[in-house]
């Protein structure tokens, strides 16, 4: 999961890792004594806990089990923070340290701030830091360490340009520090910890006198209906500084706190350098300093983005009544977008604001998932099934579950469940929970497929041959990962692709989305059923149509009737998102070079191809442009009732699947690979108790695969 974040991180981090590293110098720290060793982090999703460590002008210090702030995080080689004594100084040693600057020293500024840090020599060689800034997010930056051999401490100085310090980081903090080695698993020759012993902070200038304010009154409407629209907004002054959202903005639940301002990840499409945005239900008011401003409004990929310039005059109200136009209307063509992977806690009183948040991204099926682990759950839903749904027109909140969920064999997702599985003593025996949810009519699948942080490949190998899965989440964090999915398609299994934002971990809801075709009109049940049947494609921009002899995505064709297979496909994309560049026909995981692609006057890309009668396997459509991607569900080809197995690719696919089972059989627990590892001190015991049953299940899966090719 988290290597996605690395590979999608800003070009800044890529450049940092490319620099030559100095030889690591780690010296013994004299006088080391452990002063405090917490048994666990907090019970919130990130495990945030206040650290008893102070410095001048720092109001609070925090660490966390899974920290995430200003584009920095810690995941690999995580440990609980400790307070230690080094050379007579009280220090905090952690993977990640977040600092809350005293508001009496600086709050909502636009100033250069000098930060001096005293770090122990056992600190990571490569320190990463980020802060709440006016220019973008205060992009993550690197500081190389060169500790002296004759001192247990080293001092470094950092310049934080255009610092804002508006308490927009984790737990209301302003500065984040972490080690490259805890973000990048490839960095094995450096410590994954930093040890902070001292800090001083200074501003370069006094605060400017604020301009006399005026007021903005904003209404956003649909150009066709005239109705108010919920939208995502960005509001920026002439210097690019984002206005802090007023109380009129929607409250968004982000991990464990409610916020109005949210930070877009680097890979999320946005036309301004500052990536701070907020959400509105269609009417918004705010007092602003006089001056020139730019308003950006968006509502997902089917609306044209609005950009409007305006002036705020001292003592006056500027009234803006703007409209958003549809670029396309996918529901009118039977296609409804959804996100299968969103984490928000909900009580009934939260439904109105959550629904407005999802509508602002034009998501029709927002699947809100409770996240379980062997010790408990986060992002609780007040009810499941009909009692937990909330419908507003053609937009619905649909409760589901991400569980079972371990770093032994991956994270599962079950959509539109009626009741939670209450089994005990079977955290690693996923089939029991999956069968429970499938008996309810839920749609089941795996999250983070193609990313190996949680070893989804092993879970898939164990569950696919028993017909327990409908979909695989292959699109996330702006990336499309297909190799693992193709492996099972090549063996003849039918699995639909799915897209999930995993908000708040990766991106905003709808950053990637699943489009599902509904032939009889909108309903949450019809959307879930369409996903199960594979009438779907995944996208973060390009929109697709695709058919073989008139049969659409997810369909099955008997290819033994002597008729040729005529394939048609089309891709198009909102020009606000960039330019569509390629459309590709995929057969059994490989591009079909004989297809013909045409384009008329920068319009849609159109593909045509013909395959011979009797062709066996599967075909799908893929499109790409300006970093945006989409991929259709397969159309399955089978002659005379045989499976849609790909003859030439099946042997290699089977060998890879069996290797995944071998790896699962040999697995040993690594607690700190679990997302909420600090809650799972009894996981090793549970694994050993369930291991005999797990080994039996592995052998059953091996036999199922052997029988597959025998058949």
């Amino acid at each position: 999961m988290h290597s996605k974040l690395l590979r999608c991180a800003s070009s800044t981090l890529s450049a940092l890792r490319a620099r030559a590293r100095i030889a690591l110098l780690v010296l013994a720290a004299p006088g080391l004594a452990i002063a405090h060793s917490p048994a666990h982090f907090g019970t919130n999703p990130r495990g945030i806990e206040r650290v008893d460590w102070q410095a001048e002008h720092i109001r609070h210090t925090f660490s966390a089990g899974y920290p995430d702030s200003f584009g920095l995080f810690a995941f690999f080689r995580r440990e609980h923070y400790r307070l230690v004594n080094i050379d007579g100084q009280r220090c905090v040693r952690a993977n990640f340290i977040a600092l809350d600057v005293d508001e009496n020293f600086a709050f909502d500024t636009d100033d250069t701030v000098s930060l001096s840090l005293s770090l122990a020599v056992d600190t990571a060689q490569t320190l990463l830091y980020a802060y709440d800034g006016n220019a973008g997010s205060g992009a993550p930056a690197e500081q190389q360490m060169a500790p002296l051999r004759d001192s247990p401490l080293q001092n470094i100085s950092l310049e934080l340009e255009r610092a804002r310090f508006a308490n927009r980081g984790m737990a209301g903090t302003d500065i984040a520090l972490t080690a490259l080695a805890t973000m990048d698993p490839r960095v094995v020759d450096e410590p994954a910890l930093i040890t902070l012993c001292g800090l001083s902070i200074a501003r370069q200038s006094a605060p400017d006198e604020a301009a006399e304010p005026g007021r903005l009154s904003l209404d956003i409407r649909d150009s066709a209906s005239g109705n108010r629209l919920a939208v995502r907004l960005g509001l920026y002054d002439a210097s690019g500084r984002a206005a802090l959202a007023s109380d009129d903005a929607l409250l968004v639940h982000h991990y464990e706190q409610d916020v109005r301002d949210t930070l877009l990840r680097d890979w999320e499409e946005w036309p301004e350098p500052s990536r701070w945005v907020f959400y509105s239900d269609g009417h918004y008011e705010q007092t602003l300093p006089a001056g020139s401003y730019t308003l950006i409004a968006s509502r997902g990929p089917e609306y044209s983005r609005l950009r409007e310039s305006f002036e705020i005059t001292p003592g006056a109200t500027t009234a803006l009544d703007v409209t958003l136009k549809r670029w396309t209307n996918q529901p009118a063509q039977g296609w409804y977008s959804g996100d299968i992977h969103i984490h928000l806690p909900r009580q009934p009183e939260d439904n109105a604001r959550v629904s407005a948040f999802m509508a602002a991204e034009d998501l029709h099926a927002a699947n809100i998932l409770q996240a379980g682990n062997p010790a408990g759950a986060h992002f609780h839903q007040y009810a499941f099934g009909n009692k937990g749904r909330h419908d507003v027109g053609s937009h619905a909140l649909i409760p589901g579950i991400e569980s079972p969920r371990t770093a032994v064999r991956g994270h599962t997702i079950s959509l539109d469940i009626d009741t939670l599985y209450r089994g005990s003593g079977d955290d690693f025996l996923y089939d029991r929970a999956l069968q429970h949810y499938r008996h309810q009519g839920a749609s089941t699948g795996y999250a983070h497929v193609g990313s190996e942080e949680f070893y989804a490949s092993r879970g898939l190998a164990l569950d696919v041959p028993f017909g327990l899965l409908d979909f695989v989440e292959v699109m996330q964090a702006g990336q499309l990962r297909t190799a693992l999915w193709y492996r099972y398609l090549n063996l003849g299994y039918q699995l639909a692709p799915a897209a999930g934002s995993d908000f708040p971990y990766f991106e905003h809801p709808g950053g990637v989305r699943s489009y599902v075709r509904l032939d009889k009109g909108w309903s949450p049940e019809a959307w879930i059923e369409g996903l199960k049947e594979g009438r779907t494609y995944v996208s973060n921009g390009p929109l697709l149509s695709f058919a073989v002899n008139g049969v659409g995505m997810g369909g099955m064709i008997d290819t033994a009737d002597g008729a040729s297979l005529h394939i048609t496909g089309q891709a198009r994309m909102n020009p606000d998102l960039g330019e569509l560049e390629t459309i590709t026909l995929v057969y059994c995981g490989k591009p079909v070079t004989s297809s013909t692609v045409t384009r008329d006057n920068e319009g849609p890309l159109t593909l045509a191809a013909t395959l011979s009668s009797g062709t066996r396997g599967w075909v799908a459509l893929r499109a790409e442009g300006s970093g945006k991607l989409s991929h259709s569900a397969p159309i399955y080809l089978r002659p005379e009732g045989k499976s849609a197995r790909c003859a030439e690719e099946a042997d290699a696919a089977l060998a890879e699947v069996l290797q995944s089972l071998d790896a699962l059989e040999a697995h040993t627990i690594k607690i700190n690979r679990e997302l909420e590892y600090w809650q799972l001190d009894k996981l090793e015991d549970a694994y050993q108790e369930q291991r005999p049953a797990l080994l039996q299940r592995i052998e059953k899966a091996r036999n199922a695969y052997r029988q597959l090719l025998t058949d």
Side-chain angles (χ1 to χ4, degrees):
M1 172 176 173
H2 300 81
S3 63
K4 297 176 189 172
L5 207 53
L6 287 165
R7 286 187 288 272
C8 289
S10 67
S11 58
T12 303
L13 278 179
S14 298
L16 301 177
R17 286 196 296 269
R19 294 178 186 168
R21 291 196 174 94
I22 325 168
L24 181 63
L25 301 174
V26 179
L27 304 180
L32 177 63
I34 297 174
H36 174 58
S37 181
H40 56 79
F41 285 108
T43 57
N44 52 76
R46 288 187 283 192
I48 295 173
E49 188 168 74
R50 187 179 296 176
V51 180
D52 184 15
W53 186 88
Q54 292 83 32
E56 187 178 12
H57 302 313
I58 299 300
R59 185 172 61 170
H60 299 302
T61 302
F62 294 90
S63 192
Y66 170 69
D68 176 10
S69 198
F70 301 129
L72 297 183
F73 64 88
F75 180 68
F76 300 98
R77 295 158 59 190
R78 289 175 294 162
E79 300 179 18
H80 297 125
Y81 76 84
R82 291 183 293 164
L83 294 176
V84 300
N85 185 284
I86 298 178
D87 201 30
Q89 294 196 49
R90 195 164 186 264
C91 311
V92 56
R93 176 172 294 162
N95 298 103
F96 192 103
I97 298 171
L99 302 166
D100 178 15
V101 176
D102 193 323
E103 293 182 11
N104 293 320
F105 171 76
F107 176 75
D108 196 18
T109 65
D110 195 353
D111 195 6
T112 296
V113 170
S114 298
L115 185 66
S116 296
L117 304 176
S118 177
L119 300 164
V121 294
D122 62 354
T123 284
Q125 179 184 339
T126 311
L127 174 74
L128 300 181
Y129 64 96
Y131 60 96
D132 187 2
N134 287 287
S137 61
E142 174 192 274
Q143 177 67 39
Q144 290 283 356
M145 303 299 165
L148 303 174
R149 289 185 177 275
D150 58 354
S151 173
L153 299 174
Q154 58 184 312
N155 297 313
I156 64 169
S157 297
L158 308 174
E159 294 291 300
L160 311 183
E161 297 181 354
R162 297 201 69 188
R164 186 160 196 175
F165 296 169
N167 300 339
R168 294 183 292 181
M170 180 185 82
T173 54
D174 302 295
I175 301 170
L177 309 171
T178 193
L180 178 61
T182 198
M183 288 186 68
D184 189 339
R186 297 168 295 183
V187 180
V188 297
D189 59 345
E190 298 186 17
L193 296 167
I194 53 178
T195 306
L196 178 63
C197 297
L199 178 152
S200 64
I201 187 169
R203 296 181 59 178
Q204 286 194 359
S205 61
D208 294 332
E209 185 175 339
E212 185 179 348
R215 190 153 183 86
L216 170 67
S217 179
L218 173 66
D219 284 291
I220 308 103
R221 303 180 186 277
D222 183 273
S223 63
S225 68
N227 296 329
R228 281 182 177 164
L229 281 180
V231 293
R232 180 203 291 180
L233 294 175
L235 188 56
Y236 310 100
D237 70 12
S239 73
R241 174 181 167 95
L244 296 179
S246 76
D247 288 347
D248 269 6
L250 293 173
L251 275 175
V252 172
H253 198 87
H254 186 262
Y255 288 112
E256 64 291 313
Q257 62 196 73
D258 285 331
V259 301
R260 300 188 193 275
D261 299 283
T262 64
L263 180 63
L264 296 172
R265 303 287 192 180
D266 288 343
W267 56 86
E268 294 184 83
E269 175 67 34
W270 198 242
E272 284 291 310
S274 177
R275 307 185 65 74
W276 287 100
V277 298
F278 58 93
Y279 289 85
S280 168
D281 63 3
H283 177 74
Y284 181 76
E285 295 192 12
Q286 182 169 9
T287 298
L288 295 167
S292 301
Y293 289 86
T294 298
L295 172 73
I296 307 292
S298 71
R299 187 182 161 96
E302 297 178 38
Y303 280 81
S304 295
R305 187 184 291 137
L306 170 76
R307 187 183 189 96
E308 185 91 1
S309 298
F310 64 96
E311 297 286 329
I312 291 292
T313 304
T317 296
T318 299
L320 292 181
D321 197 340
V322 300
T323 59
L324 257 63
K325 297 180 180 179
R326 273 195 172 275
W327 172 75
T328 188
N329 191 335
Q330 288 295 95
Q333 301 170 45
W335 291 97
Y336 291 81
S337 69
D339 186 331
I340 71 156
H341 195 163
I342 301 167
H343 293 299
L344 290 162
R346 278 193 312 142
Q347 293 297 324
E349 59 268 24
D350 299 320
N351 280 332
R353 64 168 175 157
V354 175
S355 184
F357 178 25
M358 300 303 144
E361 297 289 1
D362 199 26
L363 274 177
H364 295 275
N367 292 277
I368 314 295
L369 306 184
Q370 185 166 300
N373 66 42
H378 298 287
F379 308 107
H380 290 273
Q381 302 300 297
Y382 65 87
F384 295 93
N386 290 331
K387 293 182 179 179
R389 284 197 205 130
H390 181 74
D391 297 358
V392 179
S394 62
H395 296 82
L397 309 179
I398 308 170
I401 184 75
E402 185 182 5
S403 184
R405 178 173 170 265
T406 72
V408 174
R409 46 175 298 194
H411 293 187
T412 65
I413 291 176
S414 296
L415 305 177
D416 199 24
I417 66 174
D418 290 332
T419 60
L420 286 174
Y421 177 66
R422 300 292 186 183
S424 61
D426 51 9
D427 304 304
F428 304 97
L429 307 174
Y430 288 12
D431 56 292
R432 300 175 185 180
L434 292 172
Q435 287 172 354
H436 172 84
Y437 293 131
R438 293 181 72 80
H439 288 159
Q440 300 174 7
S443 182
T444 54
Y446 267 76
H448 319 304
V449 168
S451 171
E452 278 300 271
E453 285 81 359
F454 304 119
Y455 300 119
S457 61
R458 301 175 185 181
L460 283 172
L462 197 53
D463 291 325
V464 167
F466 302 109
L468 294 175
L469 306 174
D470 301 311
F471 64 84
V472 284
E473 185 183 66
V474 295
M475 193 171 203
Q476 195 165 76
Q479 295 186 80
L480 178 62
R481 290 189 170 96
T482 57
L484 184 54
W485 175 40
Y486 287 176
R487 185 179 302 171
Y488 291 94
L489 297 180
N490 288 344
L491 285 171
Y493 295 105
Q494 297 178 39
L495 287 172
S501 64
D502 200 3
F503 176 83
Y505 293 91
F506 282 133
E507 55 202 319
H508 284 61
V512 296
R513 56 187 69 202
S514 293
Y515 276 95
V516 174
R517 181 167 181 82
L518 309 182
D519 296 325
K520 297 181 180 179
W522 163 259
S523 73
E525 298 89 345
W527 194 91
I528 296 294
E529 191 62 27
L531 179 67
K532 289 170 68 173
E533 293 178 358
R535 290 182 273 111
T536 185
Y537 65 90
V538 296
S539 176
N540 66 350
L543 306 178
L544 300 180
S545 61
F546 178 50
V548 179
N549 290 358
V551 175
M553 301 174 202
M556 182 77 71
I557 297 177
D558 187 340
T559 63
D561 61 2
S564 297
L565 303 177
H566 297 286
I567 299 171
T568 57
Q570 187 183 86
R572 55 200 179 96
M573 187 165 71
N574 188 331
D576 288 340
L577 303 181
E579 182 180 354
L580 196 59
E581 297 162 2
T582 63
I583 183 173
T584 306
L585 179 66
V586 179
Y587 168 67
C588 287
K590 299 175 182 177
V592 177
T593 57
S594 60
S595 57
T596 300
V597 176
T598 58
R599 181 178 217 158
D600 294 327
N601 298 323
E602 299 184 357
L605 285 172
T606 301
L607 178 145
T610 300
L611 298 178
S612 61
S613 172
T615 300
R616 182 179 180 182
W618 57 272
V619 289
L621 196 67
R622 176 181 174 128
E624 185 172 353
S626 301
K628 304 300 180 185
L629 304 158
S630 62
H631 200 298
S632 76
I635 299 172
Y636 302 96
L637 313 174
R638 59 180 190 183
E640 299 179 337
K642 296 179 181 179
S643 78
R645 186 181 311 139
C646 297
E648 294 184 5
E649 291 77 14
D651 287 344
L654 180 61
E656 291 169 329
V657 168
L658 293 176
Q659 287 174 5
S660 294
L661 290 177
D662 292 343
L664 179 57
E665 185 175 51
H667 184 86
T668 56
I669 290 285
K670 298 179 179 64
I671 295 295
N672 66 357
R673 289 295 295 268
E674 299 290 338
L675 195 57
E676 298 94 16
Y677 78 96
W678 63 94
Q679 295 181 304
L680 302 175
D681 54 340
K682 298 180 180 179
L683 191 67
E684 175 69 36
D685 293 340
Y687 182 64
Q688 293 305 325
E689 290 173 3
Q690 296 167 42
R691 185 168 165 75
L694 182 61
L695 293 177
Q696 290 179 10
R697 189 74 178 174
I698 290 172
E699 192 54 36
K700 288 183 180 179
R702 286 193 181 108
N703 291 333
Y705 289 119
R706 294 182 186 117
Q707 187 63 39
L708 176 73
L709 292 191
T710 301
D711 293 341

